Amino acid sequence: METMGTNQPILDPYAAAELARVLHDSPGGFLGREPVPVHAFAPGASLRERRESFAEVYGTIVARIGEPTLYGGSAYGPNVRWRSAERTVLLHCAGHWALLSAHHTESLESAEDRSFAWSGPWAATEPHEFDLLPYVWQLDRGGPGEQPSERPAGRMASCLEHFEAALELTLAAWVEQLPVQVGGDWAGFTLTSSADRGRRLQVSYALEDGLHVSVDDRDGEDTPERSSLMRARGWQSRDRGWWQAEFPAPERPETSEAARLTLTELRARGTRAPKELRARDVSCKDRGELLLPGLGIRH
């Protein structure tokens, strides 16, 4: 293949898979060279359209070189890696392109660590920059290859508005990227706040079930007045003391609404700063380790 190792597009999935095999088995002189575009996303495509268009090239690459070491994604698209201590094959997105590249693992991860450590925001008045992180979620299911010994702590949000943006980016990334990489498996976490101890607010997504947000309100009164208040915040229904909102086929407006609803509820119950929040029970179908370094809070 004459275009291997150049940045000329290789848009045939089987040719892209052959490139991935070469990068995986015999990276040699390809290490550190410009990434090769292997898929083009349509400008303005919906989250569903993006995941459906990416599925073929991803599936063909996996069929050729096996399951990745680490699943994941950024605000721009999937970020998947086949990793050893020496080299990492990276399938990631930039702009409207999915790109394949091979890297010296230490150099790649050192650069990413610096991005997590030094990207903004440093103050609530600055842009949040969670959309600039190398990845906002990463899943380690003990796949082939070698796992990193250390993981980035993630960048902390400077204000609740930044956390809302980080949550929205994470949910949109899940909607676009999780079904292609892990099929119908669900992902979710529980939010707690030191300002309202004992309260749980749960967020989850799965392709079959859609996006789901709920809050424990069993100590709240079951009255018409309480119901009107909760519905005004954006909650849709009450079941055994839990208020819920469901988005069966979420797109960007729904991920934005889910993040807004979450922040509205947290504020209403006294949360004033991201440092009061924790993400607990972070999981993808209880298989492997799910990291959320782009969520903006500790977990």
Side-chain angles (χ1 to χ4, degrees):
M1 296 173 57
E2 295 181 358
T3 53
M4 279 189 181
T6 75
N7 59 359
Q8 296 300 310
I10 299 177
L11 299 183
D12 174 77
Y14 296 96
E18 176 60 17
L19 171 61
R21 185 195 64 78
V22 171
L23 298 180
H24 184 270
D25 296 346
S26 306
F30 298 105
L31 287 165
R33 295 179 66 172
E34 288 294 315
V36 179
V38 295
H39 179 73
F41 293 96
S46 68
L47 299 177
R48 177 186 60 81
E49 290 167 339
R50 284 177 63 88
R51 71 175 180 243
E52 290 179 353
S53 71
F54 180 71
E56 181 179 10
V57 66
Y58 176 77
T60 306
I61 289 172
V62 168
R64 183 68 58 89
I65 65 174
E67 291 292 328
T69 313
L70 298 167
Y71 305 91
S74 73
Y76 292 101
N79 184 296
V80 187
R81 51 194 73 193
W82 292 259
R83 181 191 185 279
S84 72
E86 293 76 31
R87 66 97 186 98
T88 295
V89 176
L90 181 65
L91 177 61
H92 77 289
C93 292
H96 299 304
W97 292 100
L99 309 167
L100 261 177
S101 53
H103 303 264
H104 293 285
T105 297
E106 183 177 357
S107 297
L108 173 66
E109 293 178 352
S110 293
E112 291 180 337
D113 289 345
R114 289 193 295 272
S115 178
F116 281 110
W118 297 107
S119 63
W122 296 105
T125 56
E126 297 178 351
H128 61 76
E129 295 192 4
F130 289 107
D131 54 338
L132 302 182
L133 292 175
Y135 48 91
V136 297
W137 70 276
Q138 190 173 80
L139 174 62
D140 179 357
R141 282 188 161 171
E146 300 174 69
Q147 283 69 28
S149 58
E150 297 182 5
R151 305 296 177 87
R155 198 77 177 102
M156 298 298 102
S158 294
C159 61
L160 288 179
E161 289 81 5
H162 286 169
F163 170 62
E164 180 178 355
L167 177 58
E168 181 180 346
L169 288 173
T170 299
L171 296 179
W174 280 5
V175 171
E176 177 194 338
Q177 300 153 23
L178 272 172
V180 174
Q181 298 182 44
V182 301
D185 291 358
W186 57 265
F189 56 89
T190 298
L191 281 171
T192 62
S193 173
S194 60
D196 187 25
R197 295 190 183 278
R199 184 83 53 200
R200 290 179 293 161
L201 197 155
Q202 297 179 338
V203 181
S204 65
Y205 170 74
L207 180 61
E208 182 176 348
D209 300 326
L211 183 58
H212 184 272
V213 185
S214 61
V215 64
D216 185 353
D217 192 50
R218 287 174 292 181
D219 57 345
E221 296 180 350
D222 187 8
T223 63
E225 293 77 14
R226 181 67 176 174
S227 178
S228 295
L229 174 65
M230 297 299 282
R231 291 182 185 279
R233 292 177 187 170
W235 298 106
Q236 300 168 356
S237 62
R238 188 174 190 266
D239 181 24
R240 289 169 289 185
W242 286 75
W243 280 95
Q244 305 173 71
E246 298 179 346
F247 308 94
E251 287 290 343
R252 290 180 180 87
E254 287 74 26
T255 59
S256 177
E257 171 60 18
R260 183 209 62 78
L261 172 59
T262 300
L263 262 293
T264 298
E265 191 64 27
L266 289 169
R267 286 184 186 277
R269 296 180 184 271
T271 299
R272 295 293 176 263
K275 65 182 180 181
E276 299 173 306
L277 298 173
R278 293 291 185 274
R280 306 183 187 277
D281 304 322
V282 180
S283 179
C284 185
K285 203 181 179 181
D286 299 326
R287 287 183 54 210
E289 182 183 17
L290 177 61
L291 302 176
L292 303 176
L295 190 57
I297 60 174
R298 300 191 185 281
H299 67 285

